Amino acid sequence: MAHKSSRRLRSPTTEAPAARYTLMALAFLFLTLFLLLPLVAVFIEAFRKGTAEFLAAFGDPDTLAAIRLTLLVAVIAVPLNLVFGVAAAWAIAKFEFKGKAFLTTLIDLPFSVSPVISGLVYVLLFGAGSVLGPWLKSHGIEILFAVPGIVLATIFVTFPFVARELIPLMQEQGTGDEEAALSLGASGWQTFWYVTLPNIKWGLLYGVLLCNARAMGEFGAVSVVSGHIRGLTNTMPLHVEILYNEYNFVAAFAVASLLAALALVTLIVKTALELHYGAEIAAGRKH
Amino acid sequence: MDVSVKNLRKEFDRYPALHDVSLDIRSGELIALLGPSGSGKTTLLRLIAGLEQPTLGSIHFGDEDASHKTVQERNIGFVFQHYALFRHMTVADNIAFGLTVRPRGERPPKAEIRRRVSELLEMVQLSGLEKRYPNQLSGGQRQRVALARAMAIEPRVLLLDEPFGALDAKVRKELRRWLREFHDRTGHTTVFVTHDQEEALELADRVVVMSQGKIEQVGSSDDVYDRPNSPFVFSFIGDSASVPVSIVDGSVRFRGDEIGVAAPEGDIVSGEATLFFRPQDVAVVTDPSAPALEGRVVTSRRLAGTRIADLDIGGADDPLHVEIEVPLDAQAANGTSIRFRPLRFKLFAK
Amino acid sequence: MTTTAAASGRWRLRQPSVIPGFGLTLGFSLAYLTLIILIPLAGLVWRSASLSGAEFLGILSDPRTVNALKVSFGTAFIAAIVNVVFGVIVAWVIVRYEFPGRRIVDAVVDLPFALPTAVAGIALAALYAPNGWIGQILNVVGIKAAFNPTGIVIALVFIGLPFVVRTVQPVMEEIDSEIEEAAATLGANRFQTVFRVLLPGLAPAILTGFALAFARGVGEYGSVIFIAGNIPYVSEIAPLLIVIRLEEFSYGAATAIATIMLALSFAMLLVINLIQAWSRRRYGHGA
């Protein structure tokens, strides 16, 4: 008669439990040491001397100026890159044209350029030794070591985020929906607003989120063009550096904790988006 | 190598995929597991391979109880539905894989492996493609590489999961004939899974018809086609019509009327039953006084050398459609009435 | 569409389509791309071309420059290797194993993308400095993990991890379990299946992830400078040297170093594209 299998055989597509637990332990240990602990450290260091000290950091007018500047830069840079991202994705995903692959590569370019170089190119363009420098100076236009330079450098480094989320997504969606809308008499703008945009909204939000996180947190590029003038051209990350170098650790970590909180919110919203609208942004993850 | 499966039961998350299945496969046989999707045929194949473990029951290879052997130890050749070729390896490396992963003591020397690979390639008629990658082959070629790879380890049993499922119709037919010849040449005990009855009937020595985790019938092509032993097998294999009937003293009646059909001796004497017959096994009855089934032609269509008529034998209030074959010269205009009688049929008690 | 283009027999920029907005979106994208990315980068190249060969060689043979480049490339290489090993393990654990909190672990991997580099920098410095939580423990066993090249590697491991995980993960998810079962039926044990079948299949993705992490590591600035100690000839990275040269108004020197780094970035982009093209041609899928 039938008998119960006494020796449980492992499925051929998994590892032995010992190997499985070892790999999991290695992964968790690594992630804890390199990713989680630094995050935790930011908050612990910020509150090391109590809540009062933590809050005091935000009484400093220079800190408040840095927060304002960071917000201002993001408010300018993110919408510009959003418009660019949508336009570029529309051209690349909805049409076949010569040089498309090359254009796609160019859009990714800022990702492979060191942030310091992203700042440097603007110094070379607008600085004292450049062609434009003396002309700008004689007309009293300040770009370098002023807000416009910071905005430009930020746009440079956050340039690809929205576009590279949208391009694969819109390519996967094809042109069928748009062709249907147009055949039903919709105008180009109507087609975009009522057909395309609802299809890409979550992918778009996702891209904007990443773009914003980077815009507020950019350090290297902004550092090169800012001139580090306290209260005027210091963004939050630059202010963190200054406070840290002055051994004002609590204040440095207090400002850093705001940026870390922003990063956490970004990650949480991102995870929630993936959880609920996974399919609608899935194409964007396959890069 | 004989393979026997005894009282096999397999549950996935408490949901039974196989109930108490027993089957004896004789050495050198070519067996088809045939059934609709969800019938448990692939599960049975994977249990024989050792890719799944049974909840209850045992599997024997010859005299040896293989139930507790791992898939690696069972030494079976398995050809996957989508071939599962290693795409980063050349054709030659794919075929040699089973030999190169053997422990050092049992591994043949390199030259011997090379010789075996070229032998196998010749056997599957792919000589000269050693250096190709799977991606550079056609579907039919991949299928044969998968077969050569499985044969390389000199398996005791060859198991194929929907071997022709991913191929187009023409290649499928060619490969089917080729596999039959291959089997006759090598004489391996072979089990393949298919949902295509034509494939099963043409290729297999014996067909195992499965439904809902159970074996319905095991037999030759003639057995399962001509002597189906259950309503499922009758309706699953070939075209068929079924009519609910009642039997009174050995005479078969449809809605109370005699239809000129008698229940065979030793069969059901009285009670409710279902009458099964095939479209071609009917005779048109011209004598209006003779008892017969009568139906109105709903549509008819020409099919190669015959004409198939779709009849409504139930009437407007309670329509019941059956399809029968009628002579090409018979009157079969839509709306006309045709009287017929099944010549060969089977009755299954309700 | 292709046939019409061919039949008309003349060169056209794009294949015909009923979808509107090609000129507008492509025009805007190109203009924006040119203004923000191409002109500034061209400025760098032009500036670099205006340096004479002797000047260029002079700057690049300066021992401090040579050492900075060596430090940047060397530490980025080691960090990328570390990330390949642990990135593959982390991706494997996330893709293959079911455990509570799997989503959280998956989200945590993106932390380096979201956390501003300066914040990561001061947090890592606080942790791995000789008096930090981890630094103290390492100190006991005689390992100095900050203010030397080891510190740089730690920061670059943090920065580079998601590049490897996010490149390998989607390819790993698409491995058909039939492949592993096939290896098992052919007699391969689990170890052989993983190392001879699965990992070689992932090789293009792993190489791409390595190249991305390496390129990012060479250019990284914000997270490194706090933990590196920035000792010239020892733990001074090339991007920092660019910043220092800029502060000294030695634009030529800054440009020369930047040009070398940029050339590497492009070489990396090229390598990545070659890997993908090769992998597509041979295996029929990208990395």
Side-chain angles (χ1 to χ4, degrees), chain C residues 198-287:
Chain C
L198 299 181
L199 287 181
L202 291 172
I206 294 174
L207 276 174
T208 303
F210 174 85
L212 288 170
F214 177 60
R216 175 67 200 262
V218 170
E220 178 55 22
Y221 177 69
S223 59
V224 174
I225 55 166
F226 298 97
I227 196 175
N230 307 325
I231 309 156
Y233 305 100
V234 177
S235 62
E236 184 178 67
I237 53 167
L240 177 65
L241 192 58
I242 294 179
V243 172
I244 291 172
R245 293 301 183 223
L246 274 179
E247 281 166 359
E248 294 166 351
F249 298 103
S250 330
Y251 287 178
T255 306
I257 303 168
T259 308
I260 292 296
M261 291 178 59
L262 210 54
L264 171 95
S265 299
F266 293 152
M268 274 292 140
L269 266 187
L270 188 70
V271 167
I272 292 167
N273 281 325
L274 287 177
I275 294 171
Q276 307 253 342
W278 169 77
S279 155
R280 242 190 308 276
R281 204 173 44 247
R282 173 163 284 183
Y283 307 148
H285 66 99

Side-chain angles (χ1 to χ4, degrees), chain A:
Chain A
M1 239 340 268
H3 62 274
K4 189 106 188 159
S5 316
S6 50
R7 181 180 148 210
R8 283 273 106 200
L9 291 173
R10 197 157 40 81
S11 146
T13 53
T14 55
E15 289 75 43
R20 193 160 61 230
Y21 292 128
T22 308
L23 286 176
M24 284 170 76
L26 272 176
F28 295 152
L29 183 69
F30 180 81
L31 291 176
T32 305
L33 283 181
F34 283 90
L35 304 191
L36 272 185
L37 278 183
L39 182 68
V40 173
V42 172
F43 292 100
I44 289 189
E45 293 290 331
F47 287 99
R48 180 170 287 267
K49 291 184 180 156
T51 319
E53 280 275 309
F54 171 81
L55 290 174
F58 298 102
D60 177 3
D62 289 348
T63 303
L64 294 176
I67 294 174
R68 269 195 305 273
L69 180 59
T70 292
L71 291 174
L72 174 71
V73 169
V75 161
I76 301 171
V78 174
L80 281 172
N81 282 338
L82 164 68
V83 172
F84 162 75
V86 172
W90 182 271
I92 287 173
K94 306 286 178 193
F95 299 95
E96 288 302 322
F97 57 91
K98 312 246 166 180
K100 188 159 119 165
F102 185 60
L103 180 60
T104 314
T105 309
L106 279 185
I107 290 174
D108 269 350
L109 203 56
F111 275 157
S112 37
V113 172
S114 169
V116 168
I117 296 178
S118 312
L120 170 71
V121 293
Y122 289 106
V123 174
L124 295 179
L125 199 64
F126 300 117
S130 72
V131 188
L132 286 172
W135 183 86
L136 289 171
K137 196 168 185 189
S138 65
H139 286 76
I141 301 170
E142 285 192 345
I143 292 182
L144 224 47
F145 313 129
V147 176
I150 296 173
V151 172
L152 279 174
T154 304
I155 291 176
F156 187 107
V157 292
T158 59
F159 184 84
F161 282 98
V162 178
R164 74 158 10 197
E165 274 316 314
L166 289 186
I167 291 170
L169 179 62
M170 283 168 73
Q171 269 172 340
E172 200 172 76
Q173 289 175 350
T175 55
D177 288 7
E178 283 77 13
E179 282 163 358
L182 291 163
S183 75
L184 295 169
S187 73
W189 282 112
Q190 285 171 326
T191 302
F192 176 75
W193 276 110
Y194 298 119
V195 176
T196 310
L197 199 56
N199 278 338
I200 60 168
K201 60 177 184 267
W202 297 117
L204 189 68
L205 178 59
Y206 195 89
V208 166
L209 208 64
L210 298 178
C211 182
N212 180 63
R214 183 69 192 270
M216 291 195 170
E218 178 50 29
F219 178 73
V222 171
S223 168
V224 171
V225 297
S226 127
H228 305 271
I229 307 161
R230 286 184 92 135
L232 283 179
T233 63
N234 261 348
T235 60
M236 287 168 76
L238 298 182
H239 197 58
V240 167
E241 184 197 18
I242 290 181
L243 292 169
Y244 187 85
N245 287 341
E246 288 171 348
Y247 302 102
N248 191 352
F249 292 135
V250 168
F253 279 102
V255 178
S257 71
L258 269 196
L259 289 167
L262 170 76
L264 275 181
V265 170
T266 304
L267 285 187
I268 290 168
V269 178
K270 178 178 176 290
T271 307
L273 279 178
E274 279 171 359
L275 210 59
H276 293 286
Y277 307 103
E280 288 172 60
I281 47 178
R285 284 203 71 178
K286 284 191 203 125
H287 37 67

Side-chain angles (χ1 to χ4, degrees), chain B residues 46 51 71-72 76 78 80 82 84-89 97-98 100-101 133 135 149 153, chain C residues 178-179 181-189 192 196-197 200-201 280-285:
Chain B
R46 292 170 60 86
L51 290 169
V71 55
Q72 286 94 343
I76 45 91
F78 201 106
F80 291 83
H82 302 288
L85 294 178
F86 308 135
R87 56 192 176 184
H88 63 281
M89 290 185 201
F97 183 82
T100 58
V101 293
Y133 284 87
N135 185 43
R149 184 178 68 176
I153 60 167
Chain C
E178 276 193 356
I179 293 287
E181 291 176 350
T185 62
L186 294 167
N189 60 36
Q192 288 170 322
R196 299 179 66 163
V197 177
R280 242 190 308 276
R281 204 173 44 247
R282 173 163 284 183
Y283 307 148
H285 66 99

